[in-house]
Structure formats: structure tokens, C-alpha cells
Amino acid sequence: MSSITIVGTIKSIRTFDDKPFICLDVVTTNTYFPPKGFPEPTQEIEYTVLVSKKQFTRLENELAPFDTPILNSEIYVQGKPTFDLTYDVLVGDLGVIALEVKSMTARKTELDWIEKGIYLQDPLDYPEEIPTSLPLHLIEVPEKAHYPNQDKIAQRLAYYQKHGRFNPSGVTVQWFRGKWVLKRGFSRFAAAKQLGLTEIPVRALMVTVEGLDQDTLKRLYTTK
């Protein structure tokens, strides 16, 4: 069966207790003008797109730096069409099993930030996956970073030894020029190394917003 590619807006999100996928109801708007004498194309088509929980999490992570929800965002989908969905799953005109999904809203917002001169990396320089945890040896500590004081590290060690986790649970990293760079959580990172941990939970960011005032951040986080 041939593949199908769509770009549209997510109008609703549906989950099921007894199914391994999440349904995104995506509406596309047709702007094609046919040659004279040809019939007019359908202006709006609604697709029921089936994504895995992993794909859904990736979309959330792509949009997270821009403080933008998935609902009503624009999405790119490449997948396989299906006519075999049950009535409780199919809402749109056609079902699509997603092979690849990307947030177009995140990419358009990112390009807008580049034009404003506040983004420091190639917008296409994305990692294969946006992680929720990373091995310590894959996290680079900036050269100019201030090493946390021993008292703070001791507090992190004591909390971990008592509860089996850090609070907050991990560190914040920034994807920059092909590497994950430590941005926040230096004392937790140092404590993790002292404890002999090999991996730590992370919050992964794809953009740089440091040094911006609150009004600018508010303006940038508003996606048109």
C-alpha cells in the first residue's frame, strides 16, 4: 500500500484504555485551484491519525520549549492509509497509521526565533530522539560553569540516599552543535557522579532563551 503525507491542524486528541495508540483528529485545508473545467477539490478533509505513545511524547517535547500545546498545533504526518478502523476510533474521513510525525508549529516558531536573532544553532540539527534520560558521559558541562559548593552537593546526596531519587528528579540539558550541554542542575549532576550513577533523568531543550526579558519571552512564546 502506498504512503500518504498530510499537513494539518490537530483538532482533537483521543486516548483509549484498551488500545496502544493515541488518535489525533487532523484537519487539512485544500488551497489547490484546479484547471478550468475540472471539479473543485474538497476544501477540508479530516483524518484520524494513529500515533504511538512514543510519537506523541516526541511531539510534546518538540513543542515544550515554546510553551505551546499540541491541540490546535500544525503537524506533518507520513503514514499508511487504513480503511479498517472501528466506528469508535474513526472520526475523520480516512484513517492514517503514522510512520513519521513532526510538529510544524515548533519548526515555524523556531525559524521565527532565528529571524529575531536569538537562536544559536542550525534549526535542522535535531537529534534522532528527544531523550527523557541520558548517560552522564553524554552530558557536556560548559567550561565557564561555576562548580556547585560542597554543601549543596551534600544535600543532594543525602536526599538521594534517603529517597532513591533527586528533587527535582533530574537536570536540564540543551542540544547545541550536536551535543547535550548541561544548563541547570549542576549540583544534582555532581552528586550523580559521586554516587556512581551512569544515567540521569533530563529535561531536554532545543532552543536558547537566556538573557531575554519577560515581555520578549511572552511575545516569542505566542505562536500565531
Side-chain angles (χ1 to χ4, degrees), residues 2 12 34 39 53 57 60 64 86 90 94 97 115-116 124 133 140 146 148 153 166 173 196 198 211:
S2 61
S12 65
K53 293 179 180 179
T57 299
E60 286 185 314
T86 55
L90 182 64
L94 177 66
I97 301 171
E115 291 178 359
K116 293 178 173 67
L124 301 180
S133 65
E140 182 173 299
H146 294 290
I153 296 175
F166 293 114
V173 294
T198 58

Side-chain angles (χ1 to χ4, degrees), residues 6 20 23-24 38 44 50-52 67 83 91 94 118 143 148 166 176 180 208 216:
I6 61 175
C23 284
L24 306 179
F38 280 66
E44 278 194 358
L50 278 58
V51 299
S52 67
D67 197 26
F83 297 98
V91 169
L94 177 66
I118 64 155
E143 292 182 6
F166 293 114
F176 182 67
W180 290 110
T208 299
T216 303

Side-chain angles (χ1 to χ4, degrees), residues 32-198:
Y32 173 72
F33 297 99
K36 186 176 181 179
F38 280 66
E40 290 290 330
T42 303
Q43 291 302 306
E44 278 194 358
I45 301 176
E46 185 172 356
Y47 298 89
T48 297
V49 179
L50 278 58
V51 299
S52 67
K53 293 179 180 179
K54 185 177 180 180
Q55 289 172 324
F56 187 81
T57 299
R58 182 179 177 87
L59 285 175
E60 286 185 314
N61 289 337
E62 287 184 359
L63 287 164
F66 307 105
D67 197 26
T68 301
I70 289 181
L71 194 63
N72 295 318
S73 68
E74 192 176 27
I75 188 177
Y76 165 92
V77 179
Q78 185 179 51
K80 298 290 185 180
T82 176
F83 297 98
D84 296 327
L85 299 182
T86 55
Y87 72 93
D88 61 323
V89 173
L90 182 64
V91 169
D93 303 297
L94 177 66
V96 178
I97 301 171
L99 301 178
E100 181 182 7
V101 291
K102 296 179 181 178
S103 172
M104 296 302 293
T105 296
R107 280 154 179 76
K108 288 179 179 179
T109 306
E110 186 177 44
L111 290 172
D112 183 51
W113 285 30
I114 293 171
E115 291 178 359
K116 293 178 173 67
I118 64 155
Y119 194 76
L120 303 179
Q121 69 181 61
D122 182 349
L124 301 180
D125 182 28
Y126 276 98
E128 289 298 320
E129 297 289 340
I130 298 179
T132 56
S133 65
L134 280 172
L136 296 184
H137 71 274
L138 292 184
I139 300 175
E140 182 173 299
V141 179
E143 292 182 6
K144 296 182 180 180
H146 294 290
Y147 194 80
N149 64 62
Q150 290 299 324
D151 289 341
K152 198 166 186 179
I153 296 175
Q155 291 174 10
R156 303 299 190 191
L157 289 169
Y159 189 93
Y160 188 93
Q161 290 166 345
K162 183 177 180 180
H163 300 280
R165 60 180 177 82
F166 293 114
N167 183 30
S169 61
V171 300
T172 299
V173 294
Q174 164 81 47
W175 180 256
F176 182 67
R177 295 178 181 175
K179 297 179 181 179
W180 290 110
V181 179
L182 185 63
K183 303 298 289 184
R184 297 184 184 89
F186 289 87
S187 60
R188 293 187 293 277
F189 183 81
K193 293 188 73 172
Q194 289 190 25
L195 287 165
L197 302 182
T198 58

